[in-house]
Amino acid sequence: MTRKIFTAEHELFRDQVRRFVAREITPHHDQWERDGIVPRSAWLAAGEAGLLCATMPEEYGGAGADRYYSTIVMEEFARAGASGPGFSLHSDIVAPYLLAYGTEEQKRAFLPRMATGEVIGAIAMTEPGAGSDLQGVKTSAVRDGDELVINGQKTFITNGQNADLVILVTKTDPAAGAKGTTLVLVEATRPGFTKGRNLEKIGLKAQDTSELFFSDVRVPLDNILGGEGQGFYLLMQELAWERLQIAIGAMASAEASLEQTIAYTRERKAFGRAVAEFQNTRFKLAELKTEIAVARVFVDRCIALVAERKLDTATAAMAKYWCSDLQGKVIDECLQLHGGYGYMWEFPIARAYADARVQRIYGGTNEIMKEIIGRTL
Amino acid sequence: MTALLPRTIFKPEHELFRDQVRKFVEREILPHRVAWEEAGQVSREAWKKAGEAGLLCPTMPEEYGGAGADRLYSAIIIEELAGSFASGPGFSLHSDIVAPYINAYGTEAQKRSWLPRMATGEVIGAIAMTEPAAGSDLQGIKTTAVRQDDELVINGQKTFITNGLLSDLVVVVTKTDPAAGAKGTTLVLVEATRPGFTKGHKLQKIGMKAQDTAELFFDDVRVPVDNILGGEGQGFYRLMRELAWERMQIAIRNAAAAEAILDQTIAYTRERKAFGRAVLDFQNSRFRLAELKTQVQLGRTFVDHCLDLLLKGELDADTAAMAKLWTTEMQGRVVDQCVQLHGGYGYMWEYPVARAYADARVQRIFGGTSEIMKEIIARAL
Ligand SMILES: Cc1cc2nc3c(=O)[nH]c(=O)nc-3n(C[C@H](O)[C@H](O)[C@H](O)COP(=O)(O)OP(=O)(O)OC[C@H]3O[C@@H](n4cnc5c(N)ncnc54)[C@H](O)[C@@H]3O)c2cc1C
Ligand SMILES: Cc1cc2nc3c(=O)[nH]c(=O)nc-3n(C[C@H](O)[C@H](O)[C@H](O)COP(=O)(O)OP(=O)(O)OC[C@H]3O[C@@H](n4cnc5c(N)ncnc54)[C@H](O)[C@@H]3O)c2cc1C
């Protein structure tokens, strides 16, 4: 099915991204999986190729591109199973916070170097005792003269080991609940800020998801992002786009898995014929193709809405929940159609399977998505 | 109504028409439901009123009694009937399947003699493909039409025919050359008045109680060769031409019915109390409804996307098959959950959800079963 949301320029960009992935990412991904981290050289290469922070204004090192460009980067990485690089979190979650809420100084200090890959960004909300319910955040930032003193612990932080700059969700006024929440920019070089374990996971093996520790970390008040007590409110602003990013990756991954599985079942023989010739195989593949086609049309509508800044939170929640669930179902069926080879790590479908599971958990669990949709009934 | 994304395919004229259709359904259709269900058919009067109100054959050219309207008008009629669970009237089969065959393949004389009266509701149309031994596999059709001079002599039996009892005119799929397989298939117009043509008894069904689905028998029925529609031996080919649109009609209906039943169920669970609170206040209810709403939204988006392609002449057969497959399966899941959320009331016929449940089951069977849809989609993999 032809997609209608992209222009010719977008498609040219897609070609570039695809070539970049084939040249700079795919050949190294195995090694990065063993290392549990993507090296900075890959970030710098991505920066040079214009793949980081494309939507940031040119004056801050970006290309002033629309969100279709971000979409394309996410899709091409997901298609290739390149789940290691945390580029989209860096470019399409962290950088937009700085752009939208940062002071001129903050923007100048970080955005241009984020666009080159010299500075790698992360955002740290989750704590051991607070995930879905962010009201439970305990990390404190206490004012001391013209400094904040930060104490606490974060976990499951994407780009955690690589991070040079962390947007940290803190409590500046624990008694005030949501209104006591403040975003603070913390540089990795600050004394008292240490990176904990690079966590072992089911999938996303090359992604440096980590614990972060803060022990009397001092930062100037100027490091507050978007105003004291504004944190919770600011975190809500771009949730629709942030969640749609997961749906975008989910669809691209599901589509790629289906293509691989069609090709595989055509080659693979059993009982004297291609596996693709069994009616069960054809029907399963037809079901998956249909599910993907329906969700694709929906996600493309959501992408077009997000580009016009018109996507509402509940519709984005539908996209996140439905597409991540669908990705799980599609890849599970695709793995099945691969037989034993599907269980072998060297086959892309095995990695896609392991990578897919988390999509229903992060970015707000699918249960939380249903809460959000449930409020609009 | 629970808010979905705004639809973008309709113009203000369409919305005006929708209002008219909605009022018509409320006034002329819904009050008669129980009587029609008991009778097992819709009254002929209702057909005439629908004709008067411009609800029959709107896409036919004006010279043949239609309004020359685009297919979104047909979609609106289908949606409004489905949205009020009015599954009795076989209007869309008549207007959007039978009439288009005559318009596309009929001779001038055939068009003039049938289309204007189909638009008024004086003539009710049906199409008879299925036989007791041939449904999914239409190559197995046994009804014969044998040429004798300038007449055809028809013998055979059809079953499961929508509008069967009321029909005045039936497009019958026959074999004029049984040895030639698909190429021996011919469409023949058979008037209900022809000697030897009899209608069987009304078939009892799980749902669609007011729909007169019937058996038809042909015993040495003679029609002039002029009654051949679209050329001898052309039948199979003709039947393939508009399959995308015919299947979309089912998808349109299901998307609308699923949306309507979701709305009803949200309203019901908001009113209904258990353990001191509204059923909607249970997290399980909200999550199930959130899941249903998501599916309804996806179905809606996909159907509108396909309708848009259809209007541009770009809808291919396998995409239409996906729409038919996905929306019918989706509707099945939705009505089942909605019955559950209604509890015992959901099992009672007086509740729309019970009828919607019973009506929904057949959507996965007629118009090509879900399995046949998968065959079509799989061929395009
Ligand atoms: C690979 C990975 C990368 C991540 N990256 C980041 C990152 O970069 N930054 C960051 O801040 N966080 C990150 N996270 C954390 C992620 O956002 C959280 O894991 C997620 O929000 C869920 O929180 P939790 O793990 O504490 O689960 P919990 O909140 O403890 O949830 C446990 C279960 O309870 C369910 N549940 C919770 N509340 C309700 C409710 N109201 N009704 C019904 N069920 C409910 C949940 O859906 C879940 O099934 C990452 C996580 C992973 C696994
Ligand atoms: C309410 C109602 C109204 C109808 N209206 C009309 C009408 O107006 N005109 C008309 O001509 N017909 C009409 N039909 C008939 C309808 O189109 C057929 O019932 C349908 O096409 C299925 O044919 P069948 O019933 O013979 O089932 P069969 O073809 O016998 O199928 C039985 C089962 O086998 C499966 N199957 C068949 N072939 C395959 C395959 N290749 N691979 C895998 N599985 C397969 C089917 O999917 C089904 O599950 C109507 C039916 C109903 C119930």
Side-chain angles (χ1 to χ4, degrees):
Chain A
M1 199 178 317
T2 47
R3 301 175 66 183
K4 306 202 160 180
I5 57 174
F6 298 109
T7 62
E9 296 85 83
H10 291 136
E11 294 304 343
L12 281 177
F13 180 68
R14 186 186 293 283
D15 283 347
Q16 286 171 31
V17 178
R18 194 169 288 190
R19 272 185 261 125
F20 178 86
V21 172
R23 196 179 58 235
E24 304 287 346
I25 305 290
T26 304
H28 309 294
H29 211 269
D30 276 348
Q31 184 57 46
W32 299 347
E33 287 174 17
R34 286 191 288 274
D35 298 344
I37 192 166
V38 171
R40 188 168 292 265
S41 56
W43 283 83
L44 295 172
E48 224 167 274
L51 267 59
L52 299 180
C53 303
T55 64
M56 292 298 109
E58 291 183 33
E59 52 179 318
Y60 301 121
D66 59 42
R67 286 175 175 176
Y68 294 108
Y69 286 84
S70 303
T71 299
I72 288 167
V73 176
M74 292 170 212
E75 287 179 348
E76 290 307 316
F77 277 75
R79 278 187 64 80
S83 59
F87 294 164
S88 76
L89 179 112
H90 167 94
S91 303
D92 297 299
I93 297 185
V94 176
Y97 275 103
L98 281 162
L99 180 67
Y101 312 119
T103 59
E104 190 54 34
E105 243 186 345
Q106 289 171 337
K107 292 193 241 188
R108 296 226 171 272
F110 296 111
L111 287 177
R113 288 189 297 145
M114 286 182 71
T116 59
E118 289 160 282
V119 166
I120 296 176
I123 181 161
M125 300 174 270
T126 307
E127 301 185 357
S132 301
D133 181 9
L134 284 182
Q135 311 250 12
V137 159
K138 291 221 160 51
T139 297
S140 62
V142 179
R143 218 176 232 262
D144 184 24
D146 51 4
E147 289 187 323
L148 286 173
V149 184
I150 303 169
N151 280 288
Q153 179 183 345
K154 298 285 176 181
T155 194
F156 305 157
I157 306 308
T158 299
N159 298 343
Q161 298 295 321
N162 269 325
D164 302 296
L165 177 71
V166 180
I167 298 179
L168 189 67
V169 180
T170 68
K171 283 277 167 84
T172 39
D173 183 355
K179 289 196 177 120
T181 307
T182 301
L183 306 184
V184 184
L185 295 172
V186 183
E187 302 89 338
T189 49
R190 297 274 169 195
F193 175 8
T194 51
K195 294 168 176 177
R197 288 178 298 152
N198 188 0
L199 299 160
E200 296 270 346
K201 304 184 292 300
I202 291 177
L204 304 180
K205 299 285 192 188
Q207 170 48 233
D208 54 320
T209 315
S210 304
E211 299 173 319
L212 302 178
F213 297 99
F214 303 87
S215 171
D216 285 333
V217 177
R218 289 181 171 265
V219 298
L221 289 178
D222 288 348
N223 275 29
I224 290 176
L225 180 67
E228 196 172 328
Q230 298 295 305
F232 222 81
Y233 170 74
L234 299 180
L235 288 173
M236 300 291 137
Q237 295 308 303
E238 286 287 3
L239 279 179
W241 170 223
E242 291 165 21
R243 288 180 178 144
L244 187 63
Q245 294 173 23
I246 295 173
I248 288 167
M251 288 314 301
S253 171
E255 283 166 350
S257 297
L258 177 62
E259 282 167 29
Q260 287 157 18
T261 306
I262 291 170
Y264 181 83
T265 54
R266 278 193 185 137
E267 291 303 315
R268 179 77 181 165
K269 299 280 185 298
F271 298 97
R273 46 184 177 155
V275 168
E277 287 168 28
F278 295 111
Q279 191 178 48
N280 177 69
T281 308
R282 284 189 293 113
F283 278 25
K284 285 283 179 226
L285 292 172
E287 288 163 20
L288 300 183
K289 184 177 174 188
T290 302
E291 289 290 349
I292 287 172
V294 171
R296 164 54 66 210
V297 168
F298 179 62
V299 168
D300 279 359
R301 173 99 199 266
C302 290
I303 294 168
L305 286 170
V306 102
E308 298 168 42
R309 302 292 194 274
K310 282 189 188 155
L311 182 67
D312 65 87
T313 323
T315 305
M318 288 183 185
K320 194 272 172 184
Y321 136 59
W322 187 264
C323 297
S324 60
D325 258 19
L326 180 61
Q327 179 189 9
K329 276 185 272 188
V330 167
I331 292 175
D332 186 64
E333 293 280 11
C334 286
L335 191 156
Q336 188 67 22
L337 290 170
H338 276 73
Y341 286 101
Y343 199 66
M344 299 300 139
W345 199 254
E346 69 188 86
F347 271 70
I349 196 68
R351 292 179 215 200
Y353 179 82
D355 288 349
R357 187 61 187 87
V358 74
Q359 296 264 84
R360 288 177 263 166
I361 296 174
Y362 60 21
T365 66
N366 285 5
E367 290 71 27
I368 298 301
M369 296 307 104
K370 291 175 196 177
E371 274 293 344
I372 293 165
I373 304 159
R375 277 178 221 142
T376 69
L377 293 171
Chain B
M1 292 230 297
T2 183
L4 298 180
L5 286 176
R7 300 180 70 179
T8 54
I9 57 174
F10 296 107
K11 299 200 184 79
E13 304 88 89
H14 292 121
E15 294 305 340
L16 282 177
F17 182 68
R18 186 186 293 283
D19 281 348
Q20 286 171 34
V21 177
R22 188 168 297 180
K23 285 194 205 111
F24 178 86
V25 172
E26 272 164 25
R27 199 176 58 238
E28 303 294 347
I29 305 287
L30 299 186
H32 306 293
R33 176 179 67 78
V34 175
W36 293 350
E37 285 180 1
E38 270 161 23
Q41 63 182 55
V42 169
S43 72
R44 201 166 264 281
E45 198 196 344
W47 281 84
K48 295 209 175 111
K49 286 201 168 138
E52 245 165 66
L55 266 58
L56 299 179
C57 304
T59 64
M60 292 299 106
E62 290 182 38
E63 52 179 319
Y64 302 122
D70 64 50
R71 286 172 173 175
L72 290 178
Y73 286 84
S74 301
I76 288 166
I77 297 169
I78 296 169
E79 287 178 354
E80 291 305 315
L81 287 165
S84 30
F85 315 107
S87 59
F91 295 164
S92 79
L93 180 113
H94 167 94
S95 303
D96 299 304
I97 296 184
V98 177
Y101 275 105
I102 297 173
N103 187 47
Y105 311 121
T107 60
E108 191 55 33
Q110 287 171 336
K111 292 195 238 187
R112 294 229 171 273
S113 70
W114 300 113
L115 290 177
R117 288 190 294 147
M118 286 182 72
T120 59
E122 288 160 281
V123 165
I124 296 175
I127 180 158
M129 299 174 271
T130 307
E131 300 185 357
S136 300
D137 180 10
L138 284 182
Q139 311 250 15
I141 276 177
K142 295 224 156 52
T143 297
T144 54
V146 178
R147 213 185 173 126
Q148 278 185 9
D149 304 323
D150 52 2
E151 287 190 324
L152 287 173
V153 184
I154 303 171
N155 280 289
Q157 178 181 347
K158 298 285 177 180
T159 193
F160 306 156
I161 306 307
T162 299
N163 297 343
L165 296 181
L166 284 168
S167 63
D168 302 296
L169 178 70
V170 183
V171 177
V172 183
V173 181
T174 68
K175 283 277 168 86
T176 40
D177 183 356
K183 288 195 176 122
T185 308
T186 301
L187 306 184
V188 184
L189 293 170
V190 181
E191 302 88 339
T193 51
R194 296 277 170 193
F197 175 11
T198 52
K199 295 169 176 178
H201 61 277
K202 162 189 121 186
L203 298 165
Q204 300 284 355
K205 305 185 293 297
I206 291 177
M208 311 202 41
K209 300 284 192 188
Q211 168 50 233
D212 55 320
T213 314
E215 297 174 317
L216 303 179
F217 299 96
F218 303 88
D219 184 14
D220 282 334
V221 178
R222 289 178 172 268
V223 298
V225 287
D226 285 351
N227 276 27
I228 288 176
L229 180 65
E232 197 172 329
Q234 298 295 307
F236 224 81
Y237 172 71
R238 303 295 184 212
L239 290 173
M240 300 292 137
R241 282 298 296 279
E242 288 287 1
L243 279 178
W245 167 225
E246 290 166 22
R247 291 187 175 136
M248 275 311 297
Q249 295 170 26
I250 297 175
I252 291 164
R253 184 187 306 140
N254 290 311
E259 191 173 338
I261 208 61
L262 172 66
D263 276 332
Q264 294 229 348
T265 307
I266 293 169
Y268 180 84
T269 54
R270 194 169 270 141
E271 291 302 315
R272 178 77 180 168
K273 298 282 183 296
F275 298 96
R277 46 184 176 155
V279 167
L280 184 60
D281 291 336
F282 295 110
Q283 189 180 49
N284 178 70
S285 309
R286 280 186 286 117
F287 277 28
R288 296 296 81 79
L289 288 165
E291 290 161 7
L292 301 185
K293 183 174 174 179
T294 303
Q295 297 177 55
V296 165
Q297 175 68 71
L298 270 106
R300 160 61 55 232
T301 311
F302 193 67
V303 165
D304 282 0
H305 172 79
C306 291
L307 270 172
D308 192 43
L309 290 176
L310 180 84
L311 291 180
K312 293 179 182 144
E314 292 170 13
L315 184 69
D316 53 48
D318 62 303
T319 305
M322 290 190 205
K324 200 262 175 193
L325 171 65
W326 199 87
T327 55
T328 56
E329 299 283 338
M330 179 271 285
Q331 187 202 16
R333 294 190 296 267
V334 169
V335 290
D336 185 67
Q337 258 317 319
C338 286
V339 166
Q340 193 66 21
L341 287 163
H342 275 76
Y345 287 100
Y347 199 68
M348 299 300 141
W349 197 255
E350 61 175 308
Y351 274 73
V353 73
R355 285 177 263 127
Y357 178 82
D359 289 351
R361 189 60 190 88
V362 75
Q363 310 292 333
R364 285 175 264 167
I365 296 174
F366 62 20
T369 64
S370 288
E371 290 72 27
I372 297 302
M373 296 307 104
K374 290 178 198 175
E375 277 291 345
I376 293 165
I377 299 159
R379 269 177 229 145
L381 280 173

